[in-house]
């Protein structure tokens, strides 16, 4: 694999949360493109609507205002965020490894998903600072999690009793599609357990190109973007062929591109219209903490 091309910087934008740690995109019933970004201090989420000219109008929504949202004070340590095409939003913590799910339109907390390492991830889920960094909803009420390092990997998590299905383009939610959020194990509780049913660690040239995986997101053609903080790079992973349900090593990346210079602590990634995407920076300011990027020809 030769020297990677550098991504084109379209513009730097202001995202109204500090220390952005995760980002997501969704398309609503009217075809409008929305962005979401969360920081690792509080439950405040920056939500943006992308207009026809590509400009983004931001506002801030506090998930702590959702009924029954767990109190975490000023140290949420959220690492990533996922959103469906309706109003379901999920945020993930690395330690403890949990995903909090809410219906933001109804302002209702739905559940806390505990991410269990059995059966596929035993022995690879023990380091507190090397767990989940990226999050995506999958059809069938499943989750795709990017494990940061030791090893960097993609992991399919599913409710108890659900077999691994792997990941193919048809597993990615469509516009205006609702994710099948689980119900708590105890009707009077909030917890539900998801199990690691398949794991795809980076290996060979893929592991050499990406020192870690800090975020994931879908591409325009239903592949995956992988963001690496350590390598300051974004890579495209095709889902043709799919990630198989039995797991296996990811050795090939379709394309690896370097981030622009002066891109400290890239931690969030979200798709934009017209083959662009947003990379968010985990820096202590709301100024110029987002990069609008385009892949070179």
């Amino acid at each position: 694999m030769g020297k990677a091309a550098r991504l084109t910087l379209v513009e730097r934008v202001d995202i109204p949360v500090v220390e952005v740690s995760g980002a997501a995109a969704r398309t609503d019933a009217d075809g409008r493109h929305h962005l979401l970004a969360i920081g690792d201090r509080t439950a405040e989420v920056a939500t943006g609507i992308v207009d026809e000219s590509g400009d983004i109008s931001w506002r801030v929504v506090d998930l702590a205002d959702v009924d029954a949202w767990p109190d975490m004070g000023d140290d949420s340590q959220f690492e990533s965020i996922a959103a469906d095409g309706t109003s379901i939003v999920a945020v993930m913590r690395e330690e403890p490894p949990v995903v909090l799910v809410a219906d933001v339109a109804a302002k209702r907390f739905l559940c806390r998903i505990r991410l269990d390492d059995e059966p596929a991830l035993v022995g690879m889920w023990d380091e507190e600072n090397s767990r989940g960094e990226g999050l995506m909803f999958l059809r069938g009420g499943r989750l795709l999690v990017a494990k940061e390092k030791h090893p960097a990997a993609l992991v399919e998590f599913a409710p108890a009793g659900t077999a691994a299905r792997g990941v193919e383009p048809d597993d990615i939610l469509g516009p205006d599609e609702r994710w099948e959020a689980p119900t708590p194990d105890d009707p009077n509780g909030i917890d539900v357990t998801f199990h690691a049913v398949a794991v795809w660690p980076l290996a060979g040239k893929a592991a050499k190109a990406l020192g870690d995986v800090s975020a994931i997101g879908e591409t325009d053609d239903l592949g995956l973007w992988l963001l690496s903080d350590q390598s300051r790079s974004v890579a495209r992973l095709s889902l043709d062929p799919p990630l198989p349900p039995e797991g296996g090593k990811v050795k090939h990346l379709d394309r690896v591109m370097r981030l622009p210079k002066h891109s400290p602590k890239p931690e969030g990634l979200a798709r934009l219209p017209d083959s662009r995407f947003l990379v968010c920076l985990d820096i202590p300011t709301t100024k110029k903490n987002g990069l609008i990027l385009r892949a070179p020809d």
Side-chain angles (χ1 to χ4, degrees):
M1 186 178 294
K3 187 175 181 180
R6 194 176 295 278
L7 287 155
T8 300
L9 176 62
V10 178
E11 64 175 319
R12 294 180 183 265
V13 298
D14 301 338
I15 304 172
V17 290
V18 297
E19 298 181 0
V20 181
S21 54
R26 71 179 186 90
T27 304
D28 66 20
D30 297 321
R32 294 178 300 182
H33 195 88
H34 296 250
L35 296 170
L36 299 91
I38 193 161
D40 58 9
R41 291 187 183 181
T42 71
E44 290 186 344
V45 177
T47 66
I49 296 179
V50 184
D51 66 21
E52 293 181 356
S53 67
D55 292 333
I56 306 169
S57 300
W58 295 98
R59 67 187 183 98
V60 176
V61 174
D62 195 344
L63 293 177
D65 293 337
V66 168
D67 184 45
W69 184 264
D71 182 14
M72 296 182 182
D74 293 327
D75 189 27
S76 66
Q77 292 302 309
F78 292 130
E79 297 292 345
S80 55
I81 186 169
D84 70 3
T86 63
S87 57
I88 303 297
V89 171
V91 290
M92 182 172 64
R93 301 185 77 189
E94 193 170 30
E95 171 56 31
V98 297
V99 176
L100 305 181
V101 186
D103 184 328
V104 293
K107 292 190 175 181
R108 183 165 63 94
F109 180 69
L110 299 179
C111 64
R112 178 173 57 196
I113 300 173
R114 297 189 178 276
L115 301 177
D116 187 82
D117 60 356
E118 294 184 344
L121 205 53
V122 174
M124 293 185 282
W125 198 239
D126 299 329
E127 291 184 50
E128 294 182 1
N129 63 347
S130 301
R131 293 175 179 150
E133 284 278 323
L135 181 68
M136 280 180 60
F137 289 140
L138 297 176
R139 284 178 172 153
R142 300 168 297 137
L143 296 171
L144 182 64
V145 170
K147 182 181 178 298
E148 183 183 16
K149 55 191 175 184
H150 302 157
L154 298 174
V155 186
E156 178 186 355
F157 282 91
T162 302
R165 288 171 44 178
V167 185
E168 60 183 41
D170 193 53
D171 288 305
I172 296 176
L173 297 184
D176 194 32
E177 185 172 351
R178 189 175 182 87
W179 186 64
E180 300 171 36
T183 56
D185 298 329
D186 180 347
N188 297 316
I190 63 172
D191 289 324
V192 59
T193 300
F194 273 31
H195 295 276
V197 293
V199 58
W200 302 276
L202 271 60
K205 291 182 178 180
K208 185 176 180 180
L210 300 183
D212 64 356
V213 180
S214 302
I216 51 175
E218 65 180 270
T219 67
D220 286 339
D221 55 355
L222 300 183
L224 296 176
W225 289 121
L226 279 62
L227 171 67
S228 173
D229 175 6
Q230 182 174 318
S231 299
R232 295 293 193 271
S233 297
V234 174
R236 184 189 182 279
L237 173 64
S238 173
L239 294 179
D240 182 18
L243 297 175
E246 65 272 18
K249 296 178 180 179
V250 174
K251 297 181 179 181
H252 174 74
L253 300 169
D254 298 286
R255 193 175 190 186
V256 180
M257 298 163 287
R258 294 177 295 155
L259 292 172
K261 295 179 180 179
H262 311 298
S263 305
K265 300 188 72 175
E267 291 287 339
L269 180 148
R271 177 177 56 86
L272 286 165
D274 303 323
S275 301
R276 298 172 302 144
F277 54 91
L278 171 70
V279 167
C280 306
L281 306 180
D282 184 1
I283 56 178
T285 178
T286 59
K287 301 297 184 183
K288 310 300 182 185
N289 57 342
L291 310 178
I292 306 296
L293 303 173
R294 188 187 302 276
D297 295 332

